[in-house]
Amino acid sequence: MPPSIDSTLAETRSFAVPADFARQANMNAETFARLNRQASEDPHRFWGDLAREYLDWDIPFQQVLETDRAPFYRWFSDGQLNVAHNCVDRHLQGATRHKAALIWEGEDGSVQTLTYAQLHRKMCLFANALKHQGVQKGDRVAIYMPMVPEAVIAMLACARIGAIHTVVFGGFSAEALKDRLEDTDAKILITADGAWRAGKVVPLKRHADQALLREHEHSVRRVIVLRRTGADIDMQEGRDVWWEDVIAGMSADCPALPMQAEDPLFILYTSGSTGKPKGVFHSSAGYLLWTMLTTRWVFDVKPEDVYWCTADIGWITGHSYVVYGPLANGATIFLYEGAPMYPQPDRFWEMIARHGISILYTAPTAVRAFMKMGDEWPQRHDLSSLRLLGSVGEPMNPEAWMWYHEQIGGGRCPIADTWWQTETGGHMIAPLPGVAANKPGSCTLPLPGIGARIVNDQGDPITAPDAGGYLVIDRPWPGMLRGIWGNPERYVESYWAKFGNRYYIAGDSARRDADGYFWVMGRIDDVLNVSGHRLGTAEVESALVAHPAVAEAAVVGIPHEIKGEAICAFVILKHQYQGVDRDELGAALRAQVTELIGAIARPDDIRFTDALPKTRSGKIMRRLLRSLARGEEITQDTSTLEDEGTLQHLATLKK
Ligand code: PRX
C-alpha cells in the first residue's frame, strides 16, 4: 500500500551511505556543504558558475536571473546555446566519439547500439529532413512514437533546429493526441505504423489518423511515419510520408542553431485539478543545466556506467532522465521498447544482466508489481552490475523499498528516491547517494540551490518536526517551468497565486522529520496518481459524462496494491438509462474513458448512484466520497452537506 502518514511515521530505519560509494561519488558531503553555502550566500554567482562550467555556450550570458516579471523568471537570458549540441556534438571529441550513446533493446530481443558519432549523424539527417519539410525555429512538432531510438533522434533533431517538440505518450488515445495537436498548433506529427506492447501492436498510426480527421481543427500538414511493426496502415496521399523517405538524400551536415537561453525547448502536457491537461513548457538553457546537474549529482553518472531509466519518453521522466540529462553528461543510455513483464516477469532482470546495467531508475508501481511476482525472478539473474537504484512518481512504501534494496540492489546499492514534477524539470528533493543516508519512504533533502519548505494555509513556515503542510519552493531555479502554453494566467493561478506569488506551490503535502528529511504525503488537490501517472479527476469525469447514459460523475482515488491509487467513479445515470444492464454499462464507460484519455485512466470501480454528496453551493464533497470508496466510516464534518440522506444511500452501494 502507498504510505499514509501513519505508516511512514512508524518508519525509523536508516541506511548509511556505503563508504566505498561515498569515496568515488561525484558529490561528497564536503562538496554538498560548500554548494549549499554558495547557493545561499550568492545565488546568482552559484548558478552562473555552474552554467558556465557545465554548458557549452555560443554566446555567453551576462545576466544570470531576471526577476522583474516574477513569477515569470528568466535565466541566462542574454546567452545563446543549442541543447542538441550540448547533448551530442560536444561528445564527439576524444574517446566519447565512439562510445555507445544509446543501447536499445526491442521487445523481440533485437539490439541496436548507436555511438555518439552515429547518433549525431542520424540526428543531423533527420533535422535536415524536418527543415526540408518546412519546419522552422519556434514551430511545434508532435511526437507520438514507440520507445525506439528514432524517438530520441526526433527530439534531438527538433532541438537542433529550434523546433519545439511536444511528445505525446503512445498509450494516450486519439482524442488526447488531438487535444495536444490543437493546443500546440503543431505543424508536423511524427509517428510509427505501430508500437510493440506485450506481443501486440498498438495502432499508433490509426490513432493519429483519427486525431487528424477534422482538418480544420488542427494545423498538421505532414505526418512522418516510422516503419516499426510492419502493420498494415493507410498512408494519406500528400500528407503522410515514410521516415526513410524523408531522410533519403539528406545531408548529414546540419549546424546546430544557436538558441536564446529562454527559447522553449518543449511542451509537455500534465494534469491539473481542473479542466484539460496543461501544456507545461520548459526553456533551453535552464532546463538543460538542471537536468544535467541532477543526473550527475543524484545518479552519480560516470563515463563507464550503463544507465537505464525505464520511463517512456512521453513523460517528463523520459525527457529529463532518458534523453537530456544523461546525454548532456555523455552517458550511455539504455532504452527498452516493450512491456516490463514480457515475455516473462524477469525481462528487466535479464536485460540488466545482459547489458551490464549499473544504474536503474524506475517507479514504485513497477517495484510493487515485480515484488508480487516473487523473488525467484530476479534471483535467476546476475544483478551485480547494479550500483545505484532510483525511484520516482510517488512515495515509495517501506515494504517495496526494502524489497528493491535487498532483492534488486543486493543490499549494497543506495536508493535515490527522487521527488520532482513535470513542472520542476528535474529532481528537487533527493538523496545524494554519497551524502545522505537513506530512510525508506523519504526523498530526504533538497538539492543545492533548491529552497524547499513546508508552510501552513496562510503561507507561514511550519517548523515543528513531522507536522504536515504545503510543500513549496521559496526561490526560482533554472529548471522550473516557464509557463503554460498559451495561458499565462493559468500559470500564475495554478502555481503562485495562493500565497501572493511568494512561493512555487507544488500541490503536494509533506512533512519534515527531526533530521530535516522530507516525507511527501501526496497531492492536496484533485489530482490522482495512478501508477505514478498524474490524472485530473475533472478529466476522467468529463470523459464519463461524455457518454450518453451519464448525467453526472465524480471520481476519487482508492488505495491499490500495485498502482498506488486506483480510480473509483460514482456515476448518476440519466433517467431513461436507469433500467440498462449495469455490467454492460460499466464496461461501456470503461471503454469510453480508454477512448477519450487512454487505458491508464480506466476506472477500476464504478458505482451507480442516484445522488452525490454536495454542499449547499453545489460543490461535490469529494472527501466524503473518498471515505465511502474506501469503505471507511465517515468521521468528517458533514454539516455543510445539502442532503444527509445521500450519504446513507451511497454507503449501501455495492462495489
Ligand atoms: O505527487 C508527487 C508525485 O508525482 C507528482 C508529479 O507528477 P508528474 O508531474 O507526473 O511527474 C512525475 C515524475 C517526476 C508530484 O507532485 N511524486 C513524484 N515523485 C515522487 C512523488 N511523490 C513522492 N515521492 C516521490 N519521489
Side-chain angles (χ1 to χ4, degrees):
M1 286 292 119
S4 65
I5 182 159
D6 304 327
S7 69
T8 59
L9 269 175
E11 182 55 58
T12 53
R13 283 170 290 198
S14 175
F15 295 82
V17 175
D20 48 348
F21 196 102
R23 261 195 300 280
Q24 59 79 61
N26 287 341
M27 171 104 70
N28 58 26
E30 226 170 276
T31 328
F32 182 56
R34 177 172 52 78
L35 287 175
N36 278 329
R37 203 171 49 244
Q38 288 171 347
S40 65
E41 280 169 11
D42 189 349
H44 285 232
R45 186 159 165 206
F46 168 77
W47 290 116
D49 285 351
L50 289 169
R52 274 183 284 268
E53 181 179 350
Y54 286 100
L55 301 181
D56 257 15
W57 294 87
D58 294 295
I59 298 184
F61 58 90
Q62 304 299 324
Q63 184 92 16
V64 172
L65 170 65
E66 284 158 71
T67 57
D68 50 316
R69 292 196 299 126
F72 295 90
Y73 294 97
R74 295 167 64 78
W75 287 89
F76 319 115
S77 66
D78 54 351
Q80 290 188 3
L81 55 60
N82 181 280
V83 170
H85 164 89
N86 274 275
C87 289
V88 185
D89 303 37
R90 65 167 160 165
H91 309 308
L92 296 183
Q93 270 106 46
T96 40
R97 183 179 179 84
H98 301 299
K99 170 185 172 164
L102 188 158
I103 302 170
W104 171 81
E105 185 165 317
E107 200 181 72
D108 61 2
S110 53
V111 173
Q112 193 187 333
T113 301
L114 293 178
T115 63
Y116 271 95
Q118 290 166 329
L119 177 61
H120 181 258
R121 186 183 146 76
K122 285 183 182 276
M123 163 181 70
C124 287
L125 286 175
F126 195 65
N128 274 331
L130 287 177
K131 284 203 278 191
H132 194 71
Q133 297 297 328
V135 178
Q136 294 173 353
K137 182 183 166 180
D139 285 347
R140 272 77 63 205
V141 171
I143 300 176
Y144 185 58
M145 300 268 281
M147 283 292 282
V148 289
E150 286 80 359
V152 177
I153 292 165
M155 290 165 79
L156 293 169
C158 287
R160 191 163 195 86
I161 62 171
I164 303 169
H165 60 67
T166 184
V167 184
V168 180
F169 170 52
F172 276 139
S173 66
E175 195 66 24
L177 173 62
K178 175 175 172 285
D179 286 346
R180 286 150 177 80
L181 293 174
E182 268 174 42
D183 198 54
T184 54
D185 251 330
K187 215 173 180 176
I188 295 230
L189 170 63
I190 307 167
T191 187
D193 60 356
W196 286 115
R197 186 88 194 165
K200 296 199 185 66
V201 174
V202 181
L204 293 179
K205 177 62 166 62
R206 201 169 73 216
H207 294 164
D209 290 339
Q210 275 166 21
L212 296 174
L213 216 51
R214 287 186 291 278
E215 273 180 26
H216 58 283
E217 290 178 7
H218 61 82
S219 319
V220 175
R221 296 294 164 257
R222 181 69 76 229
V223 180
I224 301 177
V225 187
L226 178 79
R227 204 187 297 274
R228 170 60 195 135
T229 59
D232 204 13
I233 57 164
D234 292 330
M235 291 292 278
Q236 187 177 310
E237 186 75 38
R239 186 194 70 184
D240 302 349
V241 280
W242 291 105
W243 177 290
E244 64 249 41
D245 292 339
V246 292
I247 57 170
M250 287 296 138
S251 152
D253 179 21
C254 178
L257 188 69
M259 304 291 290
Q260 292 295 336
E262 281 293 316
D263 281 339
L265 178 66
F266 65 84
I267 306 168
L268 188 62
Y269 284 78
T270 190
S271 297
S273 45
T274 54
K276 289 200 168 178
K278 306 177 272 202
V280 163
F281 69 91
H282 281 281
S283 69
S284 295
Y287 170 81
L288 180 67
L289 177 66
W290 193 230
T291 54
M292 176 172 184
L293 287 175
T294 47
T295 304
R296 189 181 152 77
W297 292 346
V298 178
F299 295 139
D300 195 51
V301 163
K302 300 276 167 42
E304 55 281 5
D305 279 312
V306 181
Y307 161 94
W308 182 21
C309 164
T310 67
D312 189 281
I313 48 144
W315 307 107
I316 189 69
T317 309
H319 283 57
S320 302
Y321 298 111
V322 173
V323 182
Y324 292 111
L327 292 180
N329 279 286
T332 296
I333 61 172
F334 176 71
L335 209 64
Y336 169 57
E337 175 182 41
M341 304 233 195
Y342 188 82
Q344 303 200 118
D346 60 348
R347 181 64 189 260
F348 269 33
W349 323 127
E350 191 191 4
M351 291 192 295
I352 288 171
R354 182 157 55 239
H355 298 284
I357 286 159
S358 53
I359 301 172
L360 172 70
Y361 188 34
T362 193
T365 183
V367 173
R368 288 191 296 263
F370 287 125
M371 185 167 80
K372 206 167 171 216
M373 302 312 297
D375 301 351
E376 63 273 22
W377 296 102
Q379 278 168 5
R380 285 185 194 176
H381 301 278
D382 174 8
L383 302 180
S384 61
S385 58
L386 287 170
R387 66 181 194 93
L388 179 69
L389 302 175
S391 166
V392 61
E394 60 179 302
M396 196 168 220
N397 48 311
E399 193 195 354
W401 196 99
M402 289 306 298
W403 188 84
Y404 197 30
H405 183 66
E406 284 165 9
Q407 296 298 324
I408 308 306
R412 74 185 174 277
C413 303
I415 297 183
D417 178 344
T418 58
W419 177 83
W420 62 295
Q421 310 176 293
T422 305
E423 293 86 345
T424 68
H427 304 151
M428 300 293 278
I429 310 180
L432 290 161
V435 177
N438 282 154
K439 294 188 191 183
S442 168
C443 51
T444 78
L445 301 168
L447 295 174
I450 300 303
R453 288 187 190 215
I454 294 169
V455 299
N456 66 16
D457 209 34
Q458 280 73 51
D460 303 322
I462 295 180
T463 47
D466 296 325
Y470 294 83
L471 176 52
V472 298
I473 310 296
D474 68 6
R475 69 204 73 162
W477 68 103
M480 66 194 295
L481 77 162
R482 296 304 195 266
I484 304 218
W485 191 252
N487 200 342
E489 301 82 27
R490 198 171 171 198
Y491 165 69
V492 179
E493 183 52 39
S494 307
Y495 304 109
W496 301 91
K498 184 176 168 67
F499 298 125
N501 295 356
R502 263 187 303 162
Y503 306 125
Y504 165 81
I505 304 156
D508 282 350
S509 61
R511 65 182 173 87
R512 240 179 146 163
D513 69 16
D515 295 329
Y517 272 38
F518 282 78
W519 299 74
V520 174
M521 288 143 65
R523 299 290 305 192
I524 33 176
D525 50 16
D526 290 329
V527 170
L528 305 168
N529 189 333
V530 179
S531 302
H533 299 314
R534 253 163 90 167
L535 286 167
T537 47
E539 264 174 88
V540 185
E541 286 161 5
S542 70
L544 289 166
V545 173
H547 191 279
V550 178
E552 207 178 347
V555 154
V556 293
I558 41 173
H560 184 278
E561 195 187 356
I562 290 174
K563 298 183 195 180
E565 205 165 29
I567 296 177
C568 173
F570 291 86
V571 172
I572 303 182
L573 293 177
K574 286 184 189 153
H575 185 68
Q576 62 272 35
Y577 286 87
Q578 293 289 351
V580 176
D581 182 273
R582 299 291 161 99
D583 289 339
E584 264 173 43
L585 208 49
L589 293 181
R590 287 187 178 91
Q592 164 100 2
V593 175
T594 307
E595 195 177 317
L596 292 186
I597 306 175
I600 49 168
R602 195 166 38 204
D604 275 46
D605 187 358
I606 296 183
R607 303 186 194 184
F608 295 99
T609 172
D610 298 333
L612 292 168
K614 288 188 181 165
T615 61
R616 288 186 191 95
S617 58
K619 218 171 161 302
I620 293 172
M621 294 178 77
R622 237 177 270 278
R623 59 189 171 87
L624 291 182
L625 286 178
R626 220 170 281 139
S627 301
L628 284 166
R630 289 163 196 227
E632 293 163 3
E633 219 174 298
I634 306 287
T635 52
Q636 295 104 328
D637 175 18
T638 56
S639 59
T640 54
L641 194 64
E642 186 196 35
D643 176 5
E644 285 268 357
T646 310
L647 273 189
Q648 271 99 52
H649 162 71
L650 283 162
T652 61
L653 291 180
K654 293 247 166 33
K655 255 188 110 166

